[in-house]
Amino acid sequence: MSNPRVLCLGEVLLDCLADQLGLKYEEVQSWTPYPGGAPANVACALAKLGTPAGFIGAIGQDQSGDALTKLLQEVGVDITGVQRHPTAPTRQVYVVRDQKGDRNFAGFGEYDTTEFADAFLKADLLPESLFQEADFLVLGTLELAYPETENAIRRALELAERYDLKIVLDVNWRPVFWTDPNAALPKIRELFNQIDFIKLSKEEAEWLFETSDAGAITYRLSSVEGVLVTDGENGCSYCLGENEGKLASFSVPVVDTTGAGDSFLAGFIHQICQHGIMSLSNHETVKQIITYASAAGALTTMKPGAIASQAKAGDVEAFLASQRLP
């Protein structure tokens, strides 16, 4: 296996999707578990597209942890950075869906959010060798909710700076993960001066910056090289260097939106790995990169499950070839 060019640090878990659409959490009669967790989703999507990726995170020494480890390996994700906690369980999150397939994270069943293995990632066990060879570090923000894993994130940022990795922040705001959601804002903002790219949903952009305009956010974060703002069926906006624009979404039959943003981000990073970071100065190349990322995200919505539904490079290329592009 090639040394991973992209390291994705955070949570891998089971998304337990409600089998019945449009019901409240307590009304759902049955659930189907699917592997997920935003950083793991990005790592898997990258591997499927052909960019070597590694996952760094903590999971339980349990059946769920075994299954997720096996899946990561089968997809082709490097698991050198996976830690196994001897007693804490692998995280499960229950996801209700409306009639359109849009999801809402409803809770963790019998456990408190702080009791899962991913809350206990150890900073001193992060493999420095992974950072020596990589080009990108992708971080979410959910793990900032847990002090031990927050320390591991700080260590990863130090290593990324030492070995000159580009740092991509995927905000992925989920209040249910936080014991005190009010503590999230200052912790997330602390990261802004250390990152090179930020990807947000429209709601996250408005929460953090009181605007969803990618150019305005880039101006606010003067040190970043790029801002991506996704808005589901309404498409996305971007500001990459001097290139700013909006792109309409692809019209596809939506089954489940879980992981669509993660596939979008993976498509974006994959394309940068293909074209090189300097390509972001070219207007037409930037548009091609964002179009590819949008296609990768759209294809993920057509099947249930964040990882199971991800496309390979050939699928994305065939899809783009079938579309009338602007």
Side-chain angles (χ1 to χ4, degrees):
M1 183 185 292
S2 303
N3 290 321
R5 293 189 67 183
V6 185
L7 305 178
C8 302
L9 188 155
E11 67 281 356
V12 62
L13 48 78
L14 290 175
D15 284 318
C16 298
L17 298 188
D19 293 326
Q20 298 80 36
L21 301 184
L23 297 183
K24 296 178 182 177
Y25 174 69
E26 57 274 9
E27 297 171 341
V28 175
Q29 297 160 16
S30 60
W31 309 81
T32 299
Y34 290 93
N41 294 344
V42 174
C44 288
L46 281 164
K48 290 186 182 185
L49 291 172
T51 292
F55 175 73
I56 300 172
I59 54 179
Q61 200 72 258
D62 50 21
Q63 284 188 331
S64 295
D66 292 342
L68 291 171
T69 302
K70 182 181 178 184
L71 172 68
L72 291 170
Q73 288 179 299
E74 288 175 345
V75 171
V77 174
D78 185 295
I79 61 166
T80 306
V82 172
Q83 301 175 18
R84 302 295 295 269
H85 195 282
T87 56
T90 302
R91 188 179 295 272
Q92 294 190 358
V93 57
Y94 290 86
V95 183
V96 295
R97 296 182 288 166
D98 65 18
Q99 295 292 351
K100 291 183 179 178
D102 289 330
R103 76 269 190 244
N104 184 47
F105 292 81
F108 303 102
E110 61 186 288
Y111 293 101
D112 183 79
T113 185
T114 61
E115 296 179 312
F116 293 99
D118 61 279
F120 303 103
L121 184 66
K122 296 185 181 300
D124 59 347
L125 296 181
L126 297 186
E128 187 167 347
S129 59
L130 287 178
F131 291 81
Q132 293 172 353
E133 302 292 338
D135 298 317
F136 290 89
L137 172 65
V138 179
L139 294 173
T141 65
L142 299 182
E143 304 294 272
L144 293 171
Y146 316 112
E148 191 162 358
T149 300
E150 183 183 5
N151 288 336
I153 290 172
R154 305 292 175 201
R155 171 62 175 161
L157 288 167
E158 289 173 9
L159 291 170
E161 185 174 352
R162 180 181 304 171
Y163 295 108
D164 200 26
L165 278 67
K166 295 292 185 182
I167 298 167
V168 183
L169 182 67
D170 177 10
V171 173
N172 196 36
W173 168 238
R174 304 281 183 265
V176 70
F177 279 74
W178 292 76
T179 302
D180 177 13
N182 293 324
L185 200 57
K187 287 182 181 291
I188 293 170
R189 282 178 172 158
E190 279 178 28
L191 298 179
F192 289 164
N193 64 351
Q194 296 177 271
I195 63 174
D196 299 290
F197 297 91
I198 184 170
K199 180 255 172 194
L200 319 99
S201 69
K202 180 184 178 184
E203 294 78 14
E204 290 163 350
E206 290 172 346
W207 173 58
L208 285 167
F209 299 102
E210 297 180 346
T211 179
S212 59
D213 183 276
I217 295 169
T218 303
Y219 180 77
R220 196 91 57 89
L221 300 176
S222 56
S223 62
V224 301
E225 298 178 38
V227 173
L228 306 168
V229 180
T230 58
D231 188 19
E233 63 186 15
N234 298 313
C236 66
S237 63
Y238 58 90
C239 185
L240 297 162
E242 299 296 317
N243 295 301
E244 186 175 349
K246 294 184 178 180
L247 195 71
S249 66
F250 290 101
S251 180
V252 296
V254 174
V255 173
D256 173 27
T257 60
T258 306
D262 305 325
S263 290
F264 173 94
L265 181 58
F268 171 75
I269 296 171
H270 171 69
Q271 285 288 288
I272 294 180
C273 288
Q274 295 284 303
H275 292 280
I277 202 84
M278 298 304 293
S279 68
L280 295 180
S281 62
N282 182 283
H283 175 75
E284 285 304 315
T285 304
V286 165
K287 191 173 180 182
Q288 290 174 17
I289 288 172
I290 298 299
T291 301
Y292 187 100
S294 298
L299 288 171
T300 301
T301 69
M302 296 171 66
K303 300 176 185 176
I307 294 174
S309 60
Q310 290 169 342
K312 294 184 178 180
D315 302 324
V316 179
E317 287 156 12
F319 176 79
L320 286 171
S322 73
Q323 301 294 308
R324 288 187 177 180
L325 300 178

